[in-house]
């Protein structure tokens, strides 16, 4: 790829970062693509597969062509995964944890290649690609250390104290069907696949065709770490064609993507009586309280709004600022926004990268242009940057957005934030909650207690106090997910692994049956039991 980074000269808005020395073509070679393509389950019937194309967002040039899976291929992928799952589930949890911990080390050791692949397929800045590598490490460490504790059998009180010994055990679901989007192809893959493996499942993943290289490389690393190769199948193809095939065979469905598609996937899974988790869209709010440290809040807002060019489910698109500090905050925030460096090539240095596709760019342009036509003021950004790359758009801050504009309530999924001023904290909370979504929120205050109080009033699955999203997302021991239209179920923590299990209750009855015994007739048995039940309550038995 020719390096197109140029200086913006006198126009210092969004100066372009320094060029990296390697090009995408140096990294994504035909040999690498051919090797990774061999990891796709396709062509199982012998017919040559059609090819799905991804493009390098920095230039629009073709990046890779990968074989697409037919419905027969998806069925074959599930058959293979199901066969491999039996042996995998028989390994002890400790052995499975050891595989996860080796994967952790491999991801960190091989990060340069993963970062290159992530940048090449998403167009994001390297610093945001690194977020994916760190999530992969954090999640595999967490489940590499905690799975045995999450999955261990638990004693429960029995119907007859001492005489009924009850144990709750966790069995794997079987084969998990995983569908992932293009925006965080490595992080979201690992978030949901790693705990599925830890619980003894096999996985069939359908990544987005645009971003399948990093998942295919991650699969190679898991196999190197000790996962049986057949236990992780990757299928590729059009979402509306291959996605429903995955749902049709899965024993559990783990979906990450838009609310619209998630609704369809959840219905298909429900019709099969198969459980699912849905990690969907958001219209996340940040609240800057009057007592916030404005420098920290302005710096945090930049991370919150423009990481991965705003193509992040937990990024902030609505910014509520206490009126008395709004001018001072906005001065700091817009100055930092204007100074962000756009970058269109591999390597460190850029603060923000490209949008991923024409569709994303059109959506951003539509939202901003409509808001401006309806009277919004552009405080920073507000225009595409074809001089940097075909899909670049400046980080944008809008003021005075009216409720009729789509950007006010619809997810933009781009580098655009709307600013609103509030007079009271009740008003800020009410407006932040005035959305059908409920994924993530951020609150800024110099008092932790104050921040916590406001956080608890927000209807969002995660709330970060004095951070944008990474404090909750990076804490893999605690659940992460959405309320309302942002989803059903949680990833990370105990919920993130127990969803992949069937709970089974085993009760061993000793000495006497749970029925009349010792010659008691039914009436006497009922009397004895009535006394016993009263005694059990008095003894505070549970
Ligand atoms: P999308 O719903 O269009 O696609 C997501 C995945 O589903 C892709 O792999 C796609 O090929 C597949 N798909 C498409 N149609 C399908 C169908 N009918 N049946 C089954 N699968 C189908 O979403 P997108 O535009 O790729 O991703 C962006 C969206 O994802 C945003 O709304 C974003 O907020 C959301 N997201 C949510 C989270 C989260 O954790 N909550 C994380 C990242 C992204």
């Amino acid at each position: 790829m020719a390096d197109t980074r140029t200086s913006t000269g006198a126009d210092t808005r969004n100066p372009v970062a320094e060029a990296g020395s390697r090009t995408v073509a140096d990294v994504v070679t035909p040999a690498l693509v051919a090797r990774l393509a061999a990891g796709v389950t396709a062509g199982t019937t012998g017919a040559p597969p059609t090819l799905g194309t991804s493009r390098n967002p920095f230039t629009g040039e073709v990046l890779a062509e990968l074989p697409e899976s037919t419905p027969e291929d998806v069925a074959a992928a599930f058959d293979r995964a199901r066969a491999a799952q039996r042996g995998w589930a028989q390994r002890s949890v400790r052995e499975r944890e050891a595989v996860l911990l080796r994967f952790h080390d491999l991801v960190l050791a091989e990060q340069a290649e993963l970062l290159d692949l992530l940048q090449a397929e998403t167009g994001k800045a390297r610093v945001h690609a690194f977020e994916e590598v760190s999530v992969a490490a954090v999640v595999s460490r967490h489940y590499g250390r905690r799975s045995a504790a999450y999955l261990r059998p638990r004693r429960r009180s029995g119907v007859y104290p001492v005489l009924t010994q009850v144990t709750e055990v966790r069995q794997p679901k079987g084969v998990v069907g995983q569908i992932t989007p293009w925006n965080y192809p490595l992080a979201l893959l690992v978030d949901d696949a790693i705990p599925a493996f830890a619980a003894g499942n096999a996985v069939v993943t359908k990544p987005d065709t645009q971003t399948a290289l990093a998942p295919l490389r991650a699969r190679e690393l898991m196999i190197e770490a000790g996962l049986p190769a057949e236990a992780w199948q990757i299928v590729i193809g059009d979402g509306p064609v291959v996605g429903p095939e995955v749902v049709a065979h899965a024993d559990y469905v783990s979906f990450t993507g838009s609310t619209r598609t998630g609704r369809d996937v959840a219905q298909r899974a429900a019709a099969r009586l198969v459980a699912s988790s849905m990690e969907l869209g958001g219209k996340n709010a940040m609240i800057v309280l009057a007592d916030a440290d404005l420098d920290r809040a302005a710096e945090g807002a930049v991370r919150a709004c423009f990481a991965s060019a705003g193509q992040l489910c937990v990024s902030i698109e609505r910014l509520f600022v206490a009126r008395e500090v709004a001018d001072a905050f906005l001065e700091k925030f817009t100055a930092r926004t204007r100074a962000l460096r756009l970058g269109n090539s591999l390597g460190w240095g850029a603060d923000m990268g490209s949008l991923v596709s024409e569709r994303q760019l059109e959506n951003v342009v539509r939202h901003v242009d409509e808001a401006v036509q309806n009277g919004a003021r552009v405080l920073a950004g507000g225009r595409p940057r074809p001089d940097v790359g075909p899909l670049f758009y400046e980080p944008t801050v809008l003021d005075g957005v009216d409720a009729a504009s789509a950007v006010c309530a619809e997810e933009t999924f781009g580098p655009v934030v709307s600013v609103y001023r509030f007079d009271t904290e009740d008003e800020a909370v009410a407006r932040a909650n005035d959305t059908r979504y409920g994924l993530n929120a951020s609150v800024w205050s110099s008092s932790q207690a104050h921040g916590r109080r406001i956080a608890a009033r927000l209807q969002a699955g995660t709330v970060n106090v004095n951070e944008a999203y990474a404090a909750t997302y990076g804490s893999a021991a605690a659940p992460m997910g959405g309320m309302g239209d942002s989803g059903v179920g949680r990833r990370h923590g105990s919920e993130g692994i127990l969803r992949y299990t069937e709970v089974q209750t085993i009760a061993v009855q000793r000495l006497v049956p749970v029925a009349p015994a010792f010659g008691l007739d039914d009436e006497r048995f009922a009397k004895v039991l009535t006394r016993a039940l009263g005694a059990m309550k008095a003894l505070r038995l549970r």
Side-chain angles (χ1 to χ4, degrees):
M1 180 196 91
D3 186 12
T4 58
R5 290 180 186 184
T6 54
S7 164
T8 49
D11 180 2
T12 55
R13 289 189 306 165
N14 312 114
V16 178
E18 287 305 308
S21 55
R22 284 160 311 113
T23 68
V24 168
D26 292 334
V27 170
V28 185
T29 59
L32 176 68
V33 173
R35 196 188 80 211
L36 293 176
V40 180
T41 309
T44 58
T45 56
T50 56
L51 296 177
T53 303
S54 61
R55 289 182 178 276
N56 169 3
F58 291 144
T59 61
E61 287 162 10
V62 171
L63 179 69
E65 291 193 315
L66 292 174
E68 291 187 308
S69 310
T70 60
E72 291 77 18
D73 292 327
V74 177
F78 274 89
D79 286 347
R80 291 173 187 180
R82 218 170 282 291
Q85 187 264 336
R86 288 188 275 275
W88 176 243
Q90 276 163 15
R91 294 207 203 167
S92 71
V93 185
R94 290 286 180 215
E95 282 178 72
R96 299 199 297 261
E97 284 182 341
V99 172
L100 270 45
L101 292 172
R102 282 195 292 274
F103 175 72
H104 167 279
D105 295 346
L106 288 169
V107 165
L108 291 182
E110 301 295 325
Q111 65 171 280
E113 188 189 18
L114 286 167
L115 294 175
D116 286 343
L117 290 177
L118 289 166
Q119 281 203 276
E121 6 187 53
T122 65
K124 63 178 68 180
R126 203 164 187 82
V127 61
H128 301 134
F130 184 72
E131 284 186 334
E132 302 213 45
V133 166
S134 36
V135 166
V138 164
V139 169
S140 42
R141 169 169 49 87
H142 178 69
Y143 289 111
R145 296 268 185 240
R146 293 284 299 155
S147 293
Y150 287 140
L151 297 170
R152 77 178 163 77
R154 281 165 212 276
R155 295 292 294 270
R156 302 295 182 207
S157 20
V159 54
Y160 286 1
V162 184
L163 300 178
T164 317
Q165 293 192 335
V166 180
T167 318
E168 185 184 301
V169 297
R170 297 275 166 181
Q171 310 279 13
K173 287 273 185 187
V175 184
V176 171
Q178 181 188 31
I179 299 176
T180 56
W182 45 262
N183 67 322
Y184 272 69
L186 177 65
L188 298 169
L189 176 90
V190 168
D191 269 336
D192 294 322
I194 284 288
F197 289 127
N201 298 279
V203 178
V204 174
T205 300
K206 193 212 85 62
D208 194 295
T209 306
Q210 171 61 30
T211 53
L213 298 177
L216 285 162
R217 181 70 186 118
R219 176 179 175 271
E220 287 186 343
L221 295 178
M222 264 302 270
I223 293 166
E224 194 178 334
L227 181 78
E230 300 278 89
W232 196 355
Q233 305 282 322
I234 296 199
V235 293
I236 303 277
D238 266 358
V241 178
V242 175
E245 294 296 329
V246 170
V247 180
H249 292 87
D251 300 319
Y252 182 93
V253 177
S254 164
F255 176 83
T256 307
S258 64
T259 298
R260 195 167 55 89
T261 310
R263 226 181 269 287
D264 179 63
V265 170
Q267 279 170 9
R268 287 174 191 273
R272 294 188 54 233
L273 297 180
V274 160
S276 60
S277 48
M278 297 285 135
E279 300 289 347
L280 310 177
K283 190 71 186 176
N284 308 306
M286 170 165 158
I287 299 178
V288 180
L289 296 166
D291 64 355
D293 175 330
L294 297 185
D295 285 304
R296 276 187 70 192
E299 210 181 287
V302 168
R303 286 197 298 282
C305 304
F306 306 126
S308 285
Q311 300 168 118
L312 167 61
C313 56
V314 287
S315 74
I316 298 295
E317 298 194 357
R318 299 180 300 144
L319 182 44
F320 297 96
V321 190
R323 193 175 301 279
E324 58 263 51
V325 297
D327 289 346
F329 169 80
L330 286 174
E331 195 181 316
K332 294 172 191 293
F333 176 45
T334 53
R336 284 177 165 83
T337 302
R338 285 193 207 97
L340 291 177
R341 294 161 304 165
L342 304 181
N344 64 1
S345 59
L346 304 181
W348 301 95
D351 302 311
M352 200 181 96
S354 175
L355 293 171
V356 77
S357 64
E358 205 62 59
R359 195 184 85 177
Q360 285 302 112
L361 179 64
E362 280 166 17
N363 202 43
V364 169
V365 168
R366 182 171 62 82
H367 275 200
V368 173
D369 290 358
E370 183 204 43
V372 170
Q373 271 161 25
N374 291 348
R377 281 193 311 133
V378 177
L379 300 185
R383 57 183 180 139
R385 287 295 295 269
D387 55 317
V388 186
L391 304 174
F392 277 79
Y393 197 92
E394 289 183 341
T396 298
V397 183
L398 299 177
D399 196 7
V401 169
D402 74 343
S405 301
V407 76
C408 183
E410 280 177 30
E411 184 183 47
T412 307
F413 220 51
V416 181
V417 65
S418 308
V419 177
Y420 307 94
R421 291 162 185 74
F422 65 84
D423 292 306
T424 66
E425 289 176 3
D426 285 349
E427 180 196 347
V429 168
R431 291 174 70 184
N433 286 340
D434 185 17
T435 169
R436 59 199 173 92
Y437 293 110
L439 190 57
N440 180 45
S442 169
V443 178
W444 295 76
S445 166
S446 44
S447 153
Q448 288 180 22
H450 190 193
R452 269 180 214 276
R453 272 200 308 278
I454 299 293
R457 296 174 63 192
L458 295 176
Q459 285 154 22
T462 53
V463 187
N464 298 266
V465 177
N466 294 334
E467 190 43 85
Y469 56 82
T472 50
Y473 206 113
S475 303
M480 183 272 150
M483 300 179 182
D485 278 7
S486 290
V488 179
R490 297 287 183 271
R491 58 165 58 109
H492 296 173
S494 59
E495 281 90 342
I497 185 167
L498 295 183
R499 65 185 157 148
Y500 293 129
T501 63
E502 290 285 1
V503 66
Q504 183 183 48
T505 300
I506 299 176
V508 177
Q509 187 63 26
R510 302 162 67 213
L511 302 176
V512 293
V514 188
F518 306 119
L520 292 176
D521 60 20
D522 288 354
E523 189 179 356
R524 278 168 185 252
F525 172 70
K527 278 191 183 140
V528 170
L529 198 58
T530 299
R531 264 189 236 113
L533 288 169
M536 282 193 260
K537 180 174 178 246
L539 290 167
R540 308 185 79 82
L541 297 186
R542 288 176 293 157

